[in-house]
Amino acid sequence: MREQDYAVNHGLQVEQQEVSRVLRNTYGLLAITLAFSGVMAYVAQQMRVGYPNIFVVLIGFYGLFFLTNKLRDSVWGLVSTFALTGFMGFLLGPILNRYLGMAAALKWSARHSP
């Protein structure tokens, strides 16, 4: 009877290790893509990139979403995921520039108002 209990407990332990490994890999990938998106936002902000046309944004987002979905079971799915998050970060750069510029303009107008 002891051997059966050990086999059941060992099976649960192996399953728990698999779940832990999958979660660790998932959160690791999430962290790396978030960092990549942040780096791309910083690059776009430093380059002072203007916000692109709405059609470029929509085609880029939907195209990369569908590409990521289509390639989800291959190595290229990982590449398309990084392309999607990089594109999102790159589009965040002009928004950050506008927001930071508004703060500077408000500060300037407060100093120079009568």
Side-chain angles (χ1 to χ4, degrees):
M1 200 58 151
R2 286 295 258 184
E3 292 173 16
Q4 286 179 336
D5 289 340
Y6 175 75
V8 170
N9 289 337
H10 180 69
L12 290 175
Q13 193 174 30
V14 169
E15 183 179 332
Q16 184 61 38
Q17 288 173 348
E18 283 292 315
V19 169
S20 295
R21 184 182 60 82
V22 168
L23 284 175
R24 186 174 42 252
N25 290 344
T26 300
Y27 284 123
L29 181 61
L30 178 65
I32 293 169
T33 56
L34 183 62
F36 182 66
S37 182
V39 167
M40 291 305 294
Y42 178 76
V43 167
Q45 185 183 12
Q46 294 302 311
M47 290 174 51
R48 304 248 185 249
V49 174
Y51 201 76
N53 187 346
I54 188 68
F55 295 113
V56 172
V57 173
L58 289 176
I59 291 169
F61 273 130
Y62 282 111
L64 287 169
F65 279 134
F66 283 114
L67 182 67
T68 302
N69 187 32
K70 179 143 178 72
L71 300 174
R72 68 178 175 243
D73 294 328
S74 71
V75 176
W76 291 105
L78 189 60
V79 173
S80 67
T81 300
F82 275 96
L84 176 62
T85 57
F87 184 69
M88 289 178 170
F90 198 78
L91 291 179
L92 188 60
I95 296 169
L96 290 173
N97 280 338
R98 169 114 3 140
Y99 178 74
L100 294 172
M102 286 173 39
L106 287 175
K107 212 181 272 188
W108 184 85
S109 67
R111 270 190 268 147
H112 293 86
S113 65

